[in-house]
Amino acid sequence: MRFKQWEMDRIADYIQRHTDGGLILDVGCSTGHMIEVLSKRFGVNRVHGADIHLDSVERNRRVFDQNQFHHIHNGFFNEYAGRFKAVTLMHVLEHVDHPVQVLKEAKLLLSDEGILVVSVPTERIRGDAAVFENLLNIGRGKFFNVHVRKYNYNLLVDEVKEAGLDILDYRFNHSFFPKSNRKRFANHSLILYTKKSQ
């Protein structure tokens, strides 16, 4: 799906333009697609992944054996505090019950001049961007909504500010038109580029 690739490329472009070296961490790395994009751009030695699911971490350690992957456990955020020049949090917040807390924890990982990139789906109905999960629901004959909340620009901005982050820039990622950057019905996602508040 091209819109997902556009999203990952835009994030990598921003990191390239606004950081000068340093480690990069993808929090909630899942199957490692963002790890692959970032590694091709910045090299495997700079790019780390982290996930709460140990099976994802172990799988990625096998597939991307030159990158470092971390299991998010109690104490993880304090253990790695201040180590990363860029942290990505892609399509994570819509799955969690306490997004502001997650943002605060991710902020801990940033170096003083580090950037936190947050992306969320821009959905018409909560869960409509979870295509694969919805197909599984149809196959099972029961519905479980994998998204806890439906995001829009204002909600995400409010949560980011509450977590003590300043917005540097934003980008709407359209499903069909790569150059579009305005709020539209057919947008796939919203990306916010942030840093720690002074």
Side-chain angles (χ1 to χ4, degrees), residues 44-61:
V44 293
N45 292 330
R46 284 187 64 191
V47 179
H48 294 230
D51 203 281
I52 196 166
H53 299 291
L54 187 55
D55 55 343
S56 291
V57 172
E58 290 173 347
R59 176 213 173 263
N60 286 335
R61 284 175 177 161

Side-chain angles (χ1 to χ4, degrees), residues 162-181:
E162 187 178 343
L165 293 155
D166 291 334
I167 298 165
L168 299 168
D169 204 351
Y170 70 93
R171 176 76 194 212
F172 285 104
N173 190 43
H174 197 275
S175 300
F176 306 108
F177 303 113
K179 294 184 180 179
S180 174
N181 185 25

